Amino acid sequence: MILVLMSYHLSRKPISIVKSELHRNCSNVIQPKDINITNNVTWCDWPPFDQDNYQTLFGVLDNCFLVAYAIGMFFSGIFGERLPLRYYLSIGMLMSGLFTCLFGLGFYWNIHSLGYYAFVQVMNGLVQTTGWPAVVACVGNWFGKGKRGFIMGVWNSHTSVGNILGSLIAGVFVSTAWGLSFIVPGIIIACTGVLCFFFLVESEFPSQEVGETAPLLRDSSIVDPSINGAVSTEPDVIVEEHSEAISFLGALRIPGVVEFSLCLLFAKLVSYTFLYWLPLYISNVAHFEAKEAGDMSTLFDVGGILGILAGLVSDYTGGRASTCCVMLVVAAPMLFLYNNIGQRSLGTTIGMLLLCGALVNGPYALITTAVSADLGTHESLKGNARALSTVTAIIDGTGSIGAALGPLLAGVISPTGWNNVFYMLISADVLACLVRDWKVFLTAFFGTKWTLKKNCSELLI
């Protein structure tokens, strides 16, 4: 499963690397003698990105993918519940490989139409939604709840590993034939889809295990000792599992789904803003060359791998939501410090990028994995094992709205100064914590009927 979703993220990364090749500083490029050059400023650029509004055009491509991904995610989970996951994943990966390759083939087919590249991005965004809900459902089937946070944290390292590998692979070809920067990752994800079709086991083989070692979707009817702090002394009771897929509105009624969905919206806004804008920020502020800035930005993803500790902490403390909240609160001042002192020396830059990557990606990873699995097997479902895919799709789909908004807002705000961009990111981190624990804050400030204990038990803390 790590290989599957790593290939998904690997295939998304090339466009951020290729942008610098599609629009270059042609004054520093040696002009070939066999080409008739009519414009010394843009002769080496790839039309239509040779225009003055090239940044806007790049933003169009980014949002074509991200908006399509956000919309498609809400429907992906519904289909994932009703189709065999092995077929659903394999077809999705093959189609994603096709559209990734089609973007790169524009280089060899000499295509200069913005509409073509925008269409490919939209279709790729839609088919890539097949990955997350289906894979979370599979991993949720394999592992019990007791170690779910750590196991899913390790598994979720695919996000950062995929981003790093995608950058490195695209960088190999970007200066010579940028089409290969897309075609090679497209072939990789397509081949992984073939492997998935032949070797994926959708769930663990039936066993008599119960409790925290039983597969997640078969122990949902058993009282979990980590909820409400209670330990059940009742004998094991066999509860009939519901086979009917849950509706979209039914999934929204599960306690905690709306709160965590909104929390992920703001957390993913911060993460994806770094994903798309961090190399440019480093280049502008630290005055690195484009390649050096891109290499330095991978440290943020390395820090994201360290974010798996969030899952380990949540397993040890039994508090998924508390772990998320603490990391979000600490991330806000760290982002402020990185913007103000992060570029003073190379060592400071490396340290701050690693720290910020862990704090930003930790809550994001925990919500999209272990928390989604917890909510998808909530006791209110009464053993309905087919809700996990829809719940995961709702949470990640809402988060993907933030993923689309973040880079868009950064593009609008950055001309006014990078400080304002970081103020936006800090505000988003604070809002992520507030929307997650709004009942707690109501209790603290307005004396409502909600208590911390009740709120925590409802939201699976």
Side-chain angles (χ1 to χ4, degrees), residues 8 15 29 33 57 67 76 91 109 146 192 198 240 253 277 358 431 436 447 455-456:
Y8 270 101
I15 190 170
V29 181
K33 296 180 180 180
L57 300 182
V67 172
S76 178
I91 293 174
W109 293 343
T192 308
F198 286 107
E240 182 180 358
R253 295 190 186 100
W277 287 87
L431 286 173
R436 159 58 195 85
N455 182 54
C456 292

PDB file of all heavy atoms in Angstrom, residues 8 15 29 33 57 67 76 91 109 146 192 198 240 253 277 358 431 436 447 455-456:
ATOM      1  N   TYR A   8       1.100   7.399  -6.595  1.00  0.00           N
ATOM      2  CA  TYR A   8       0.125   8.474  -6.834  1.00  0.00           C
ATOM      3  C   TYR A   8       0.791   9.838  -6.633  1.00  0.00           C
ATOM      4  O   TYR A   8       0.673  10.736  -7.476  1.00  0.00           O
ATOM      5  CB  TYR A   8      -1.066   8.332  -5.888  1.00  0.00           C
ATOM      6  CG  TYR A   8      -2.200   7.478  -6.409  1.00  0.00           C
ATOM      7  CD1 TYR A   8      -2.357   6.162  -5.991  1.00  0.00           C
ATOM      8  CD2 TYR A   8      -3.131   7.985  -7.304  1.00  0.00           C
ATOM      9  CE1 TYR A   8      -3.393   5.366  -6.451  1.00  0.00           C
ATOM     10  CE2 TYR A   8      -4.179   7.205  -7.771  1.00  0.00           C
ATOM     11  CZ  TYR A   8      -4.304   5.894  -7.343  1.00  0.00           C
ATOM     12  OH  TYR A   8      -5.336   5.114  -7.811  1.00  0.00           O
ATOM     13  N   ILE A  15       4.854  18.521 -12.321  1.00  0.00           N
ATOM     14  CA  ILE A  15       4.474  19.828 -12.840  1.00  0.00           C
ATOM     15  C   ILE A  15       5.145  20.961 -12.071  1.00  0.00           C
ATOM     16  O   ILE A  15       5.493  21.994 -12.648  1.00  0.00           O
ATOM     17  CB  ILE A  15       2.934  19.995 -12.833  1.00  0.00           C
ATOM     18  CG1 ILE A  15       2.560  21.268 -13.601  1.00  0.00           C
ATOM     19  CG2 ILE A  15       2.389  20.020 -11.415  1.00  0.00           C
ATOM     20  CD1 ILE A  15       1.085  21.395 -13.857  1.00  0.00           C
ATOM     21  N   VAL A  29      20.303  31.744 -21.690  1.00  0.00           N
ATOM     22  CA  VAL A  29      20.358  30.507 -22.467  1.00  0.00           C
ATOM     23  C   VAL A  29      21.084  30.774 -23.777  1.00  0.00           C
ATOM     24  O   VAL A  29      20.821  31.768 -24.471  1.00  0.00           O
ATOM     25  CB  VAL A  29      18.935  29.965 -22.736  1.00  0.00           C
ATOM     26  CG1 VAL A  29      19.008  28.665 -23.530  1.00  0.00           C
ATOM     27  CG2 VAL A  29      18.202  29.742 -21.419  1.00  0.00           C
ATOM     28  N   LYS A  33      22.287  28.178 -33.339  1.00  0.00           N
ATOM     29  CA  LYS A  33      22.478  28.887 -34.606  1.00  0.00           C
ATOM     30  C   LYS A  33      21.479  28.461 -35.674  1.00  0.00           C
ATOM     31  O   LYS A  33      21.225  29.209 -36.621  1.00  0.00           O
ATOM     32  CB  LYS A  33      23.901  28.641 -35.112  1.00  0.00           C
ATOM     33  CG  LYS A  33      24.973  29.202 -34.185  1.00  0.00           C
ATOM     34  CD  LYS A  33      26.368  28.922 -34.730  1.00  0.00           C
ATOM     35  CE  LYS A  33      27.440  29.486 -33.801  1.00  0.00           C
ATOM     36  NZ  LYS A  33      28.815  29.219 -34.308  1.00  0.00           N
ATOM     37  N   LEU A  57      -1.261  31.338 -15.713  1.00  0.00           N
ATOM     38  CA  LEU A  57      -1.513  30.111 -16.467  1.00  0.00           C
ATOM     39  C   LEU A  57      -1.069  28.885 -15.675  1.00  0.00           C
ATOM     40  O   LEU A  57      -1.755  27.853 -15.678  1.00  0.00           O
ATOM     41  CB  LEU A  57      -0.786  30.165 -17.812  1.00  0.00           C
ATOM     42  CG  LEU A  57      -1.183  31.301 -18.747  1.00  0.00           C
ATOM     43  CD1 LEU A  57      -0.423  31.205 -20.062  1.00  0.00           C
ATOM     44  CD2 LEU A  57      -2.681  31.303 -19.004  1.00  0.00           C
ATOM     45  N   VAL A  67      -8.978  21.325  -7.937  1.00  0.00           N
ATOM     46  CA  VAL A  67     -10.431  21.471  -7.833  1.00  0.00           C
ATOM     47  C   VAL A  67     -11.115  20.194  -8.298  1.00  0.00           C
ATOM     48  O   VAL A  67     -12.080  19.719  -7.672  1.00  0.00           O
ATOM     49  CB  VAL A  67     -10.916  22.693  -8.638  1.00  0.00           C
ATOM     50  CG1 VAL A  67     -12.442  22.728  -8.679  1.00  0.00           C
ATOM     51  CG2 VAL A  67     -10.381  23.980  -8.025  1.00  0.00           C
ATOM     52  N   SER A  76     -15.840   9.621  -4.990  1.00  0.00           N
ATOM     53  CA  SER A  76     -14.960   8.467  -5.091  1.00  0.00           C
ATOM     54  C   SER A  76     -15.254   7.433  -4.018  1.00  0.00           C
ATOM     55  O   SER A  76     -15.273   6.224  -4.291  1.00  0.00           O
ATOM     56  CB  SER A  76     -13.497   8.915  -5.007  1.00  0.00           C
ATOM     57  OG  SER A  76     -12.631   7.810  -5.048  1.00  0.00           O
ATOM     58  N   ILE A  91      -7.716   0.132 -11.989  1.00  0.00           N
ATOM     59  CA  ILE A  91      -8.188   0.955 -13.109  1.00  0.00           C
ATOM     60  C   ILE A  91      -7.823   2.415 -12.886  1.00  0.00           C
ATOM     61  O   ILE A  91      -7.396   3.116 -13.812  1.00  0.00           O
ATOM     62  CB  ILE A  91      -9.707   0.782 -13.287  1.00  0.00           C
ATOM     63  CG1 ILE A  91     -10.028  -0.646 -13.741  1.00  0.00           C
ATOM     64  CG2 ILE A  91     -10.252   1.785 -14.305  1.00  0.00           C
ATOM     65  CD1 ILE A  91     -11.505  -0.955 -13.802  1.00  0.00           C
ATOM     66  N   TRP A 109       4.501  15.848 -29.155  1.00  0.00           N
ATOM     67  CA  TRP A 109       3.502  16.167 -30.185  1.00  0.00           C
ATOM     68  C   TRP A 109       3.472  17.661 -30.507  1.00  0.00           C
ATOM     69  O   TRP A 109       2.651  18.105 -31.308  1.00  0.00           O
ATOM     70  CB  TRP A 109       2.126  15.702 -29.727  1.00  0.00           C
ATOM     71  CG  TRP A 109       2.010  14.205 -29.634  1.00  0.00           C
ATOM     72  CD1 TRP A 109       2.825  13.279 -30.199  1.00  0.00           C
ATOM     73  CD2 TRP A 109       1.011  13.464 -28.904  1.00  0.00           C
ATOM     74  NE1 TRP A 109       2.401  12.004 -29.903  1.00  0.00           N
ATOM     75  CE2 TRP A 109       1.289  12.084 -29.102  1.00  0.00           C
ATOM     76  CE3 TRP A 109      -0.087  13.824 -28.120  1.00  0.00           C
ATOM     77  CZ2 TRP A 109       0.513  11.077 -28.536  1.00  0.00           C
ATOM     78  CZ3 TRP A 109      -0.864  12.832 -27.561  1.00  0.00           C
ATOM     79  CH2 TRP A 109      -0.557  11.468 -27.765  1.00  0.00           C
ATOM     80  N   GLY A 146      -5.567  -0.780  18.045  1.00  0.00           N
ATOM     81  CA  GLY A 146      -4.580  -0.475  19.082  1.00  0.00           C
ATOM     82  C   GLY A 146      -3.322   0.171  18.554  1.00  0.00           C
ATOM     83  O   GLY A 146      -2.784   1.077  19.171  1.00  0.00           O
ATOM     84  N   THR A 192       2.568  -0.004 -11.350  1.00  0.00           N
ATOM     85  CA  THR A 192       2.139  -0.300  -9.977  1.00  0.00           C
ATOM     86  C   THR A 192       0.676  -0.730  -9.955  1.00  0.00           C
ATOM     87  O   THR A 192       0.283  -1.587  -9.163  1.00  0.00           O
ATOM     88  CB  THR A 192       2.341   0.930  -9.077  1.00  0.00           C
ATOM     89  OG1 THR A 192       3.681   1.406  -9.203  1.00  0.00           O
ATOM     90  CG2 THR A 192       2.073   0.586  -7.623  1.00  0.00           C
ATOM     91  N   PHE A 198      -2.889  -7.831  -9.547  1.00  0.00           N
ATOM     92  CA  PHE A 198      -2.559  -9.237  -9.377  1.00  0.00           C
ATOM     93  C   PHE A 198      -2.285  -9.635  -7.927  1.00  0.00           C
ATOM     94  O   PHE A 198      -2.484 -10.794  -7.559  1.00  0.00           O
ATOM     95  CB  PHE A 198      -1.342  -9.598 -10.235  1.00  0.00           C
ATOM     96  CG  PHE A 198      -1.637  -9.692 -11.704  1.00  0.00           C
ATOM     97  CD1 PHE A 198      -1.202  -8.715 -12.575  1.00  0.00           C
ATOM     98  CD2 PHE A 198      -2.384 -10.754 -12.205  1.00  0.00           C
ATOM     99  CE1 PHE A 198      -1.484  -8.793 -13.932  1.00  0.00           C
ATOM    100  CE2 PHE A 198      -2.666 -10.842 -13.559  1.00  0.00           C
ATOM    101  CZ  PHE A 198      -2.219  -9.867 -14.434  1.00  0.00           C
ATOM    102  N   GLU A 240     -24.501  -8.664  13.986  1.00  0.00           N
ATOM    103  CA  GLU A 240     -24.637  -8.836  12.547  1.00  0.00           C
ATOM    104  C   GLU A 240     -24.129  -7.609  11.809  1.00  0.00           C
ATOM    105  O   GLU A 240     -24.492  -6.486  12.124  1.00  0.00           O
ATOM    106  CB  GLU A 240     -26.111  -9.071  12.202  1.00  0.00           C
ATOM    107  CG  GLU A 240     -26.329  -9.313  10.705  1.00  0.00           C
ATOM    108  CD  GLU A 240     -27.784  -9.552  10.381  1.00  0.00           C
ATOM    109  OE1 GLU A 240     -28.603  -9.558  11.325  1.00  0.00           O
ATOM    110  OE2 GLU A 240     -28.108  -9.739   9.199  1.00  0.00           O
ATOM    111  N   ARG A 253     -23.522  12.442   9.500  1.00  0.00           N
ATOM    112  CA  ARG A 253     -24.126  12.415  10.843  1.00  0.00           C
ATOM    113  C   ARG A 253     -23.248  11.695  11.864  1.00  0.00           C
ATOM    114  O   ARG A 253     -23.518  11.758  13.060  1.00  0.00           O
ATOM    115  CB  ARG A 253     -25.496  11.722  10.781  1.00  0.00           C
ATOM    116  CG  ARG A 253     -26.536  12.476   9.949  1.00  0.00           C
ATOM    117  CD  ARG A 253     -27.916  11.872  10.135  1.00  0.00           C
ATOM    118  NE  ARG A 253     -28.883  12.476   9.247  1.00  0.00           N
ATOM    119  CZ  ARG A 253     -29.291  11.920   8.111  1.00  0.00           C
ATOM    120  NH1 ARG A 253     -28.824  10.731   7.754  1.00  0.00           N
ATOM    121  NH2 ARG A 253     -30.180  12.521   7.360  1.00  0.00           N
ATOM    122  N   TRP A 277       4.570  26.302  -3.305  1.00  0.00           N
ATOM    123  CA  TRP A 277       5.200  27.617  -3.267  1.00  0.00           C
ATOM    124  C   TRP A 277       6.523  27.673  -2.523  1.00  0.00           C
ATOM    125  O   TRP A 277       7.236  28.663  -2.604  1.00  0.00           O
ATOM    126  CB  TRP A 277       4.237  28.646  -2.644  1.00  0.00           C
ATOM    127  CG  TRP A 277       3.114  28.997  -3.566  1.00  0.00           C
ATOM    128  CD1 TRP A 277       1.911  28.347  -3.693  1.00  0.00           C
ATOM    129  CD2 TRP A 277       3.080  30.061  -4.510  1.00  0.00           C
ATOM    130  NE1 TRP A 277       1.141  28.951  -4.641  1.00  0.00           N
ATOM    131  CE2 TRP A 277       1.827  30.012  -5.160  1.00  0.00           C
ATOM    132  CE3 TRP A 277       3.981  31.071  -4.859  1.00  0.00           C
ATOM    133  CZ2 TRP A 277       1.468  30.918  -6.147  1.00  0.00           C
ATOM    134  CZ3 TRP A 277       3.613  31.981  -5.840  1.00  0.00           C
ATOM    135  CH2 TRP A 277       2.370  31.895  -6.472  1.00  0.00           C
ATOM    136  N   ALA A 358       7.445  18.437   9.926  1.00  0.00           N
ATOM    137  CA  ALA A 358       6.860  17.465  10.861  1.00  0.00           C
ATOM    138  C   ALA A 358       5.579  18.005  11.489  1.00  0.00           C
ATOM    139  O   ALA A 358       4.571  17.293  11.592  1.00  0.00           O
ATOM    140  CB  ALA A 358       7.876  17.115  11.938  1.00  0.00           C
ATOM    141  N   LEU A 431      -7.120  28.222  12.920  1.00  0.00           N
ATOM    142  CA  LEU A 431      -8.507  27.879  12.594  1.00  0.00           C
ATOM    143  C   LEU A 431      -8.710  26.371  12.570  1.00  0.00           C
ATOM    144  O   LEU A 431      -9.770  25.873  12.945  1.00  0.00           O
ATOM    145  CB  LEU A 431      -8.883  28.484  11.242  1.00  0.00           C
ATOM    146  CG  LEU A 431      -9.117  30.000  11.224  1.00  0.00           C
ATOM    147  CD1 LEU A 431      -9.309  30.497   9.803  1.00  0.00           C
ATOM    148  CD2 LEU A 431     -10.324  30.358  12.083  1.00  0.00           C
ATOM    149  N   ARG A 436     -11.866  22.194  15.039  1.00  0.00           N
ATOM    150  CA  ARG A 436     -11.847  20.841  15.573  1.00  0.00           C
ATOM    151  C   ARG A 436     -12.414  20.788  16.996  1.00  0.00           C
ATOM    152  O   ARG A 436     -13.127  19.865  17.375  1.00  0.00           O
ATOM    153  CB  ARG A 436     -10.399  20.327  15.516  1.00  0.00           C
ATOM    154  CG  ARG A 436     -10.034  19.187  16.434  1.00  0.00           C
ATOM    155  CD  ARG A 436     -10.880  17.936  16.228  1.00  0.00           C
ATOM    156  NE  ARG A 436     -10.706  17.042  17.354  1.00  0.00           N
ATOM    157  CZ  ARG A 436     -11.366  17.112  18.483  1.00  0.00           C
ATOM    158  NH1 ARG A 436     -12.262  18.061  18.649  1.00  0.00           N
ATOM    159  NH2 ARG A 436     -11.141  16.261  19.448  1.00  0.00           N
ATOM    160  N   GLY A 447     -20.002  28.675  28.642  1.00  0.00           N
ATOM    161  CA  GLY A 447     -20.664  27.829  29.618  1.00  0.00           C
ATOM    162  C   GLY A 447     -21.801  27.020  29.044  1.00  0.00           C
ATOM    163  O   GLY A 447     -22.855  26.888  29.662  1.00  0.00           O
ATOM    164  N   ASN A 455     -17.356  15.871  24.870  1.00  0.00           N
ATOM    165  CA  ASN A 455     -16.831  16.215  23.542  1.00  0.00           C
ATOM    166  C   ASN A 455     -15.740  15.241  23.119  1.00  0.00           C
ATOM    167  O   ASN A 455     -15.688  14.798  21.987  1.00  0.00           O
ATOM    168  CB  ASN A 455     -16.268  17.630  23.564  1.00  0.00           C
ATOM    169  CG  ASN A 455     -15.757  18.074  22.193  1.00  0.00           C
ATOM    170  OD1 ASN A 455     -16.483  18.011  21.222  1.00  0.00           O
ATOM    171  ND2 ASN A 455     -14.514  18.502  22.164  1.00  0.00           N
ATOM    172  N   CYS A 456     -14.861  14.911  24.062  1.00  0.00           N
ATOM    173  CA  CYS A 456     -13.756  14.015  23.734  1.00  0.00           C
ATOM    174  C   CYS A 456     -14.280  12.623  23.364  1.00  0.00           C
ATOM    175  O   CYS A 456     -13.804  12.021  22.412  1.00  0.00           O
ATOM    176  CB  CYS A 456     -12.774  13.910  24.894  1.00  0.00           C
ATOM    177  SG  CYS A 456     -11.849  15.414  25.223  1.00  0.00           S
TER     178      CYS A 456
END
